[in-house]
Amino acid sequence: MAIDIKEYLTPPVLVIIFLLAISLMFILPVLNMIILGAILAYLVAPVANKIQSKLKYSSVSIILAMIVVLIPLILLVGYICFEITSLITSMLASNYYMDIDSIISMLPIDMASINSTVNSSLTEVAKYILNYTVTFLSKFLNIFLDLFILICSVFYFVRDGNKCISFMKDFVPEDSKPFFDNTLESVKDVLRSIFYGHFLTSVIIGIFGVIGYSLLGYPYGIFLGVLTGILQLIPIFGPWPIYWILFFMDIFAGNYPRAAVVLLFGFFLSTVDMYIRPALSSHYAEIHPLILLIGFLAGPLVYGIVGFIVGPLILGITYTVLDSYRKEYLSE
C-alpha cells in the first residue's frame, strides 16, 4: 500500500519542520552542554528528591543537590590541574642547573649575532603571547557561556524533566506509546549501566590505586590513583599505563623489589576490573564493549572533553532504541 507523503506534509507540519530546523541551527553550538545537562540531571534528580522531602521549596532543593553532585567534580578537576602544575614546577626547579658561561666560552659563536637573534625571538614571543591572550579570553567567554548553559540545563531538566517527557509523549501516536515507554526505560537502563558499570568501577579502581601507590611510597600517590581511575573509563587503556610506567621507572632506578610489587598490584587492578564491571552493570542494559570503545574515542573528536561522557551514552542509547524497535515491531 503506497503512502501519500502529501497527506502528512500539511502546512502546519511544514511550518513545524522549518522552525525545528532553524532552532537546531541556534542550539547546535551548545547542544553538547544541553545533552550533558540532561545526563547530569538524571544523577541530580534523586538527590534533589531526597532533599525536597525535608525542604519546602523545590528550587532550593535542586540547587543544593547540584552543589552536592557537581562540587566534587569541580574539585576533582581543580585538584588535577593543581597537581600537574605542581609537578611541572618541581621538575623545572629540580637540580638541572648548568654552567652556561663555561659552555658558551667553549663554543665559537658570535655574541652580536646571538643578541640580534634573541631580540628577534623575544619580539616573536611577545606577539605570540599577545595573540594567545586574546584567543584565550575569547575561549574563556565561550567556556563561561557553556558552563552557564550547562548549569541552567541541569536545573530545568531536574525541575521540569517530567513535563518535557509528557510534552513529547503527546506527539506520539497512541499505538506507538508502548514503544515510547519501553524506549524511555531502555534509556534509563543505559544510564544506570554506564554509571554503575563504568563510572563507579572507575571510582573503585581509583581508590584502590590511591591506597596501593601511597603504601608503595610513590610521590603523588593520590594523583596517580586519580589518573588510574580516569584511565579506567577508557576501555582501550585501563590502569595498565600507570603501573607499567612505574614498573620501568623502578627498574631503571634499580628498585627491583618495588618494581615487582607494583607490577603485581597492576595485575590485581586489571583482574578486579574484570569482576567488578560485570557485577555492577549486569543488572541493567548489556552494551557491547565495541560501542563503548567507539563512544569514548570518537566522542572527544566531536564534543571535546565532554565527549568522554556524551559519546558512549549517545551510542549506547541509540543501540538500545534500535534494539527496542527491533523487539517491538520486527520480531515475530
Side-chain angles (χ1 to χ4, degrees):
M1 181 177 178
I3 299 177
D4 188 5
I5 299 179
K6 295 181 180 179
E7 181 181 349
Y8 295 95
L9 294 179
T10 59
V13 172
L14 292 175
V15 171
I16 292 173
I17 293 174
F18 173 76
L19 292 176
L20 287 175
I22 296 297
S23 300
L24 182 61
M25 292 174 58
F26 278 102
I27 68 173
L28 194 59
V30 295
L31 183 60
N32 57 341
M33 290 293 108
I34 296 175
I35 296 174
L36 183 59
I39 295 169
L40 292 177
Y42 181 78
L43 302 177
V44 172
V47 181
N49 293 333
K50 291 183 178 179
I51 296 177
Q52 189 174 353
S53 63
K54 299 181 180 180
L55 293 178
K56 185 177 181 180
Y57 302 102
S58 61
S59 297
V60 177
S61 302
I62 296 172
I63 293 174
L64 292 176
M66 290 172 61
I67 293 174
V68 170
V69 174
L70 297 180
I71 288 299
L73 298 177
I74 296 174
L75 292 177
L76 178 62
V77 173
Y79 170 76
I80 293 174
C81 295
F82 172 79
E83 288 294 341
I84 292 176
T85 304
S86 176
L87 181 61
I88 294 174
T89 303
S90 64
M91 291 176 61
L92 294 177
S94 59
N95 55 353
Y96 294 105
Y97 296 105
M98 303 174 64
D99 189 356
I100 304 299
D101 293 333
S102 62
I103 295 177
I104 292 178
S105 63
M106 293 185 296
L107 299 175
I109 55 177
D110 184 3
M111 294 302 299
S113 175
I114 289 180
N115 290 332
S116 176
T117 303
V118 169
N119 291 332
S120 176
S121 300
L122 290 176
T123 302
E124 294 298 325
V125 170
K127 291 180 180 178
Y128 173 79
I129 293 175
L130 181 61
N131 293 331
Y132 178 81
T133 303
V134 174
T135 304
F136 175 78
L137 290 176
S138 63
K139 289 183 177 179
F140 178 80
L141 293 176
N142 292 334
I143 293 173
F144 179 80
L145 178 62
D146 287 343
L147 290 177
F148 179 76
I149 292 175
L150 174 63
I151 293 173
C152 292
S153 298
V154 173
F155 178 84
Y156 287 110
F157 274 123
V158 173
R159 195 188 71 173
D160 302 321
N162 293 330
K163 295 180 181 178
C164 180
I165 294 174
S166 299
F167 179 82
M168 291 187 296
K169 193 173 182 180
D170 289 338
F171 291 92
V172 178
E174 195 65 32
D175 58 345
S176 299
K177 286 186 177 179
F179 169 73
F180 181 85
D181 294 333
N182 293 333
T183 300
L184 188 61
E185 289 300 319
S186 299
V187 169
K188 292 180 180 179
D189 288 339
V190 171
L191 291 172
R192 296 190 193 102
S193 176
I194 292 180
F195 175 73
Y196 289 109
H198 298 276
F199 289 101
L200 190 56
T201 301
S202 172
V203 172
I204 295 173
I205 296 297
I207 293 174
F208 282 157
V210 169
I211 296 173
Y213 297 137
S214 299
L215 291 177
L216 289 174
Y218 288 104
Y220 303 99
I222 297 177
F223 180 60
L224 291 174
V226 171
L227 288 182
T228 301
I230 293 174
L231 291 176
Q232 182 63 37
L233 286 174
I234 308 175
I236 198 173
F237 286 102
W240 65 266
I242 301 297
Y243 62 77
W244 274 108
I245 291 174
L246 295 175
F247 169 77
F248 285 114
M249 288 176 61
D250 283 337
I251 290 293
F252 293 145
N255 193 347
Y256 301 113
R258 191 170 70 170
V261 173
V262 75
L263 193 61
L264 292 175
F265 176 69
F267 291 156
F268 164 77
L269 291 180
S270 299
T271 305
V272 166
D273 170 64
M274 295 171 59
Y275 288 97
I276 294 179
R277 191 188 300 269
L280 293 176
S281 61
S282 60
H283 300 288
Y284 306 103
E286 291 289 342
I287 304 175
H288 196 277
L290 180 61
I291 296 176
L292 295 177
L293 176 61
I294 295 174
F296 276 115
L297 297 180
L301 299 178
V302 180
Y303 291 114
I305 192 170
V306 179
F308 280 113
I309 300 176
V310 176
L313 284 175
I314 290 180
L315 292 184
I317 289 172
T318 302
Y319 168 77
T320 57
V321 170
L322 291 174
D323 188 55
S324 178
Y325 179 82
R326 176 182 64 86
K327 293 176 181 178
E328 185 75 22
Y329 294 103
L330 302 182
S331 61
E332 296 180 356

